[in-house]
Amino acid sequence: MLNTIDRGILFMLLSALISALNGAVAKILSEDMSALEIVFFRNFIGVMIILYTLKHTAPSLTGGKFHLLFMRGVFGFLAMILFFYTITAIPLGEAITLNKTSPLFVSVLAYYLLHEHLSKRAIFALLIGFLGIVFITKPYGMSISYEHFLGVMGGFFAAAAYATIKKIKDIYDTRVIMLSFMGVGTFFPLLLFVITPWIDTPDYVDFLFQPFVWEISVKEWLLIGFMALISTLSQWLLTKAYSFSKASIIGVISYTNIPFAIGFGWMLGDAFPDIYTFTGIALIVLGGILVSRTK
């Protein structure tokens, strides 16, 4: 019989596996749909689910600081659209690894915005993690690829969303916070769909201005529904994992979604990571673990 810690680790491993599978499904969908459409449908389904739960059980917290709630939604939308776009543009394992830089950025944002202490050990951990980004992006000369830069920015905006949550978690129901993210993630794509035909956009932001494709096949609907289902399941397993085990243990195990993602990406045709990419992944994971241990 599994003990409490073992169950926490098991739940986190399953969550990490499903999270990587979710990225793989998004990569498959990206062959026929834009990243903006994937974000729209995923969030629209999420809004319907959250509204149903709120109707069934009203939120208990009174709320306040609506501007922070809205900013959480904006940051979450930016993180998601950048993540889904990088999935289409670079190998899945690299995209998920760059997204996992968010704990590093959380520490930096917490220092500047929340005035939390940043120890020498934490600074050392951040340097290790950001060195890992250098190895993955391989900035020959003085530039990195635009797609890798967007992947890093996705991690930054995810961190900004987490930092905002820390400011409002005690005044807003968790479902309301999720609704702000999914609501903005539904409204903004709709707005972009509407204005796209009327503007001429530069190539570097083309992924934000895509026409809405009305003809969606049965296969695509099934994949969208499956992605919504496993996303919810992954979040439930993640929550259960943290309830069974220490956050420091679960935080380490959460990085297993990187090798899972590399495996799924390879099965979908991604090139296997080279030694520089593996070194970068190892450094980002090490930096993330060390940062979590300094808190």
Side-chain angles (χ1 to χ4, degrees), residues 79-246:
M80 181 176 282
I81 186 64
L82 291 174
F83 174 61
F84 280 130
Y85 173 70
T86 53
I87 280 177
T88 70
I90 64 177
L92 181 61
E94 292 183 25
I96 286 185
T97 301
L98 292 177
N99 191 256
K100 294 290 284 186
T101 58
S102 55
L104 306 176
F105 287 117
V106 165
S107 294
V108 175
L109 290 173
Y111 173 76
Y112 283 106
L113 302 180
L114 305 179
H115 308 294
E116 293 186 3
H117 177 66
L118 200 60
S119 65
K120 291 181 180 179
R121 183 177 175 184
I123 294 173
F124 176 69
L126 292 174
L127 292 175
I128 290 176
F130 288 122
L131 180 61
I133 295 175
V134 173
F135 273 91
I136 289 179
T137 56
K138 306 178 187 67
Y140 302 123
M142 291 300 292
S143 63
I144 66 174
S145 79
Y146 182 60
E147 292 78 12
H148 284 92
F149 170 74
L150 292 182
V152 175
M153 290 304 299
F156 171 80
F157 283 120
Y162 298 148
T164 307
I165 290 173
K166 293 181 72 173
K167 298 284 285 187
I168 61 176
K169 64 182 178 65
D170 295 326
I171 59 175
Y172 277 105
D173 187 289
T174 302
R175 294 167 298 163
V176 175
I177 296 175
M178 291 177 64
L179 184 62
S180 72
F181 159 52
M182 294 177 180
V184 171
T186 301
F187 174 74
F188 275 20
L190 272 178
L191 180 62
L192 292 170
F193 289 142
V194 170
I195 67 175
T196 291
W198 306 97
I199 59 176
D200 186 19
T201 57
D203 290 342
Y204 60 87
V205 290
D206 258 357
F207 67 96
L208 287 174
F209 298 90
Q210 294 290 320
F212 185 79
V213 179
W214 292 97
E215 296 181 3
I216 300 175
S217 68
V218 174
K219 170 194 169 185
E220 290 163 357
W221 277 119
L222 289 174
L223 286 173
I224 290 168
F226 181 62
M227 186 169 67
L229 177 64
I230 63 176
S231 297
T232 304
L233 178 58
S234 178
Q235 287 300 309
W236 180 82
L237 289 167
L238 179 68
T239 303
K240 294 293 288 183
Y242 276 104
S243 69
F244 282 124
S245 299
K246 293 181 179 179

Side-chain angles (χ1 to χ4, degrees), residues 50-60 173 175:
I50 297 298
L51 287 177
Y52 174 78
T53 64
L54 288 172
K55 182 180 179 181
H56 184 270
T57 307
S60 56
D173 187 289
R175 294 167 298 163

Side-chain angles (χ1 to χ4, degrees), residues 245-294:
S245 299
K246 293 181 179 179
S248 58
I249 296 174
I250 297 305
V252 172
I253 301 300
S254 71
Y255 284 98
T256 57
N257 73 339
I258 295 175
F260 289 142
I262 291 172
F264 284 127
W266 179 76
M267 287 188 284
L268 292 175
D270 287 344
F272 201 70
D274 58 24
I275 186 63
Y276 297 106
T277 301
F278 269 123
T279 302
I281 290 171
L283 289 172
I284 288 174
V285 172
L286 177 60
I289 292 171
L290 291 176
V291 162
S292 67
R293 295 291 177 88
T294 61

